[in-house]
Amino acid sequence: MDIHEYQGKEILSSYGVKVQRGHVANNAQEAVAMAKQLTAETGTGWHVIKAQVHAGGRGKGGGVKLAKNLQQVEELAEQIIGMQLITPQTPPEGKKVHKVLIAEDVYYPGESQTEEFYMSVLLNRGKGRNMIMYSTEGGMDIEEVAEKTPHLIFTEEIDPAVGLQGFQVRRIAFNLGLSGAAFKEMTQFVPALYNAYIGCDATMFEINPVLKTSDNKIIAVDAKVNLDDNALYRHPKYAEMRDIREENAIEVEAKAAGLNYVDLDGTVGCMVNGAGLAMATMDLIKYAGYEPANFLDVGGTADAKRVETAFRIILKDPNVRAILINIFGGIVRCDRVAQGVIDAYKNMGDSIKVPIIVRLQGTNAELAKEMIDNSGMPILSATLFQEAADQVKVALS
Ligand code: GDP
Ligand code: MN
């Protein structure tokens, strides 16, 4: 689960990580009130207005702006809230901004004496260990740094048996070119960040930039955080941070229905039981020259109700031009699935306007095919994988 920058900073703060302070606002009036409050708390006169959406690159897209007085706070908040923010990480149409973070300006005074670093904590799946990735080249696209100047990216792997070690922390501060007070600050910042990552069962904490201020403080200016969905039950407080407005609406609905659905860009909807078969089916669609519209694993109990729900969810995607159902009947018998498809089709009547290709294999497959073929409904049946692909071609040509 992704969370917003302001929520990530709340978590960091609770673990003792110094962050750029701020308050969230839903409209321009609130923005001004929050700016006033922040001035009272921190003494800052300048504020940064930051769009809160689940995507990075906001600065480039015009979602992060500096306000030098309250009137500018109001104007910029007015401008940013409600905008459709387009960044390299949003869908092409952008993301609607519902909230802004009013943050203290931490670059002033003495912007020339500040330094921006990159730091993230994440799981290295290849090594099966957490690692800290960091670079002197913060503030910019880390992907670009990785491509053009990979020697400027450092990593520190953490041995799960002993945890993050003091010498590793000092090596990080040293490699970032720090000394004196800033060095010391960094040796406090890194363990606190790592504790936050471990403590909330995150899969990623990315802080870009980590800022060295002109008075040698080390603070998190940004926070991109992903929490492990499978561990959220241990953190009801963080689970409440979910903002479903930021998530794909069809995926949210599928999840509520207990279906494993991932929205994709293609035109062939798929309904499959088992994640492996679902992946193979997507390959099959690609071999046939098309692109899958989704990944959908209906699970082991593909009864009529479930098939119907799956149909409804697939059809919410306006790009779907055909649906391929590929079910292997092991414990669930093919004839029951076939009945499910037929019943769902009957129930849904006119709402299905695209061709449907059904491939059932396994227990009672022949009977299932007969049922489909004799149903009098415009459902195409197939027995072999290849036949199903050919049927998709025929249906879409
Ligand atoms: P992102 O573009 O989505 O990664 O958003 P960030 O939170 O990283 O902000 C983008 C950029 O805005 C940063 O790289 C900074 O250069 C700039 N920025 C952030 N906070 C401040 C601030 O307090 N003062 C000034 N002058 N610039 C800031
Ligand atoms: Mn950033």
Side-chain angles (χ1 to χ4, degrees), residues 211-275:
L211 188 76
K212 179 179 91 73
T213 62
S214 55
D215 57 351
N216 290 314
K217 292 210 170 63
I218 300 292
I219 61 172
V221 168
D222 194 3
K224 198 169 172 197
V225 177
N226 182 274
L227 304 176
D228 186 345
D229 287 310
N230 294 320
L232 274 180
Y233 73 96
R234 303 208 287 200
H235 309 284
K237 202 169 65 187
Y238 300 147
E240 274 172 30
M241 290 181 170
R242 164 158 263 137
D243 184 351
I244 59 165
R245 289 184 299 192
E246 293 290 324
E247 296 177 18
N248 179 300
I250 308 177
E251 287 180 11
V252 170
E253 194 182 330
K255 193 169 193 166
L259 296 168
N260 230 326
Y261 173 97
V262 180
D263 196 23
L264 300 168
D265 297 331
T267 54
V268 182
C270 346
M271 189 192 306
V272 189
N273 67 337

Side-chain angles (χ1 to χ4, degrees), residues 126-341:
K127 295 261 172 74
R129 287 182 172 192
N130 290 317
M131 65 175 186
I132 298 178
M133 197 191 289
Y134 62 103
S135 174
T136 48
E137 308 306 294
M140 53 186 93
D141 243 342
I142 197 66
E143 287 79 8
E144 205 180 309
V145 180
E147 202 175 294
K148 294 188 180 149
T149 49
H151 60 284
L152 295 178
I153 296 183
F154 303 93
T155 56
E156 203 65 59
E157 263 176 39
I158 291 103
D159 182 333
V162 294
L164 179 65
Q165 296 290 293
F167 74 89
Q168 296 183 297
V169 174
R170 290 192 291 278
R171 183 155 60 198
I172 292 172
F174 178 79
N175 283 338
L176 290 174
L178 299 171
S179 60
F183 187 99
K184 185 146 184 272
E185 281 260 326
M186 189 58 89
T187 61
Q188 288 158 357
F189 183 93
V190 177
L193 171 62
Y194 188 69
N195 287 343
Y197 168 87
I198 296 291
C200 63
D201 289 309
T203 66
M204 183 184 70
F205 257 89
E206 184 184 60
I207 317 296
N208 188 24
V210 172
L211 188 76
K212 179 179 91 73
T213 62
S214 55
D215 57 351
N216 290 314
K217 292 210 170 63
I218 300 292
I219 61 172
V221 168
D222 194 3
K224 198 169 172 197
V225 177
N226 182 274
L227 304 176
D228 186 345
D229 287 310
N230 294 320
L232 274 180
Y233 73 96
R234 303 208 287 200
H235 309 284
K237 202 169 65 187
Y238 300 147
E240 274 172 30
M241 290 181 170
R242 164 158 263 137
D243 184 351
I244 59 165
R245 289 184 299 192
E246 293 290 324
E247 296 177 18
N248 179 300
I250 308 177
E251 287 180 11
V252 170
E253 194 182 330
K255 193 169 193 166
L259 296 168
N260 230 326
Y261 173 97
V262 180
D263 196 23
L264 300 168
D265 297 331
T267 54
V268 182
C270 346
M271 189 192 306
V272 189
N273 67 337
L277 189 57
M279 299 299 276
T281 305
M282 286 157 58
D283 282 348
L284 181 80
I285 290 169
K286 286 203 172 234
Y287 279 130
Y290 298 96
E291 293 288 329
N294 66 274
F295 167 97
L296 173 57
D297 172 10
V298 288
T301 53
D303 56 11
K305 188 92 197 61
R306 236 174 136 68
V307 170
E308 186 172 335
T309 311
F311 261 132
R312 288 192 195 281
I313 282 168
I314 293 174
L315 289 168
K316 293 210 168 185
D317 178 349
N319 297 325
V320 168
R321 291 178 50 217
I323 296 176
L324 173 57
I325 302 177
N326 192 8
I327 303 274
F328 181 80
I331 295 169
V332 51
R333 287 168 12 220
C334 291
D335 54 317
R336 289 193 53 191
V337 178
Q339 195 58 52
V341 172

Side-chain angles (χ1 to χ4, degrees), residues 20 48 50 57-59 64 104-107 116 208-209 221-222:
Q20 173 190 41
V48 202
K50 311 181 81 177
R58 294 163 302 161
V64 179
E104 58 174 336
D105 174 31
V106 284
Y107 286 61
E116 290 181 320
N208 188 24
V221 168
D222 194 3

Side-chain angles (χ1 to χ4, degrees), residues 2 6 23-25 32 37 40 65 90 115 131 178 204 207 209 255 260 293 296 300 316 332 343 360 365:
D2 288 331
Y6 77 92
H23 298 295
V24 73
V32 172
Q37 191 179 326
K65 295 264 171 76
T90 60
E115 275 179 67
M131 65 175 186
L178 299 171
M204 183 184 70
I207 317 296
K255 193 169 193 166
N260 230 326
L296 173 57
K316 293 210 168 185
V332 51
D343 290 350
L360 294 164

